[in-house]
Amino acid sequence: MEIEKAYRFKLEPTSEQAKKLAQMAGCGRVVFNDSLDYVLNIIKKSVAITDKKAIYEHLNDLSYQDRKLLKKSFPNSAFLNKQLTSWKKLNHRAWLDDAFTDCLQQRQRDFVKALDEWSKGKRGFPVFRTRKLSHHSTMRFPAPKKQINIQNKHIKLPNGLGLVRYHNSQPVIGELRNATVSLNAVGEWHISIMCL
């Protein structure tokens, strides 16, 4: 049986890199929120409720069977990825092109997973992401073997971030499976790496 090992390191980005990380996290939030808005518009067509709070109460009060039935009308990640391509062509969303597409598509997969967990009764219906909550500022790199390179006291990240200094407290051993960069409540960036 293969055992996964997790590593977490504090990043020390330059001011320019920190700005780029914040922009990428912001793009991820927007894509998550646009995907959620798209699904809520589908729901509004099937229920006679327009108030956001009332819609959430209704959705979270639905039975397991009703949740499964409603979820069949929701788009999958592949469809949302196509939507992302069209959103990038909109004048007010053209800046989405500045973010790493793989991270944006991963946010959509995370959103679809959240919908799936809601339909199974494991959690409430997904809520809009806000910059006020630090855990909403994350980006996951789904193919870290291609996207990330650990070099002594630096981690090379894609999308023009380059070599980002990090607190190398222990060697990373194993095959990289996924990596997530996140912001904590005091404004520090960290990277979590899962290895096999």
Side-chain angles (χ1 to χ4, degrees):
M1 180 168 112
E2 294 180 308
I3 298 173
E4 289 187 336
K5 179 158 170 99
Y7 300 88
R8 188 166 189 267
F9 303 107
K10 181 182 175 186
L11 294 174
E12 292 182 349
T14 64
S15 57
E16 193 61 38
Q17 289 170 330
K19 183 179 174 185
K20 183 81 171 171
L21 286 169
Q23 287 172 338
M24 286 175 64
C27 288
R29 277 193 305 273
V30 167
V31 167
F32 186 99
N33 291 343
D34 283 354
S35 300
L36 175 55
D37 194 48
Y38 188 90
V39 169
L40 285 173
N41 284 330
I42 292 171
I43 293 167
K44 286 175 187 174
K45 291 174 184 171
S46 65
V47 296
I49 305 169
T50 54
D51 178 65
K52 190 165 82 172
K53 187 177 177 183
I55 286 177
Y56 272 87
E57 286 175 5
H58 170 74
L59 291 170
N60 290 323
D61 287 341
L62 288 175
S63 69
Y64 172 77
Q65 293 301 327
D66 288 339
R67 289 182 186 208
K68 292 300 262 185
L69 188 64
L70 183 57
K71 187 179 177 290
K72 288 180 181 177
S73 66
F74 297 164
N76 60 21
S77 340
F79 180 86
L80 288 173
N81 287 344
K82 289 178 185 169
Q83 288 298 115
L84 174 58
T85 303
S86 64
W87 292 338
K88 285 180 176 183
K89 293 176 183 171
L90 300 173
N91 286 337
H92 68 287
R93 290 285 188 259
W95 42 265
L96 286 175
D97 256 342
D98 296 337
F100 191 52
T101 300
D102 287 10
C103 290
L104 299 182
Q105 291 175 343
Q106 183 60 49
R107 286 310 298 249
Q108 291 181 311
R109 284 190 288 274
D110 293 342
F111 171 67
V112 169
K113 183 180 177 186
L115 289 175
D116 190 50
E117 289 177 352
W118 164 80
S119 73
K120 293 174 181 172
K122 293 181 179 178
R123 61 175 290 172
F125 198 81
V127 296
F128 287 95
R129 297 299 186 236
T130 172
R131 75 177 70 182
K132 293 177 185 175
L133 297 175
S134 60
H135 67 275
H136 287 177
S137 293
T138 63
M139 63 209 80
R140 193 146 42 112
F141 298 93
K145 285 189 282 186
K146 290 188 242 174
Q147 300 161 343
I148 291 174
N149 188 355
I150 299 169
Q151 301 175 6
N152 198 13
K153 294 183 180 183
H154 293 86
I155 296 179
K156 187 173 185 183
L157 296 173
N159 204 46
L161 286 163
L163 290 171
V164 180
R165 190 171 177 82
Y166 78 107
H167 283 267
N168 185 357
S169 55
Q170 60 180 314
V172 175
I173 300 167
E175 180 185 329
L176 275 65
R177 303 298 290 195
N178 67 57
T180 303
V181 173
S182 58
L183 183 68
N184 69 12
V186 293
E188 299 168 333
W189 290 98
H190 290 82
I191 186 164
S192 299
I193 300 169
M194 189 71 74
C195 292
L196 249 185

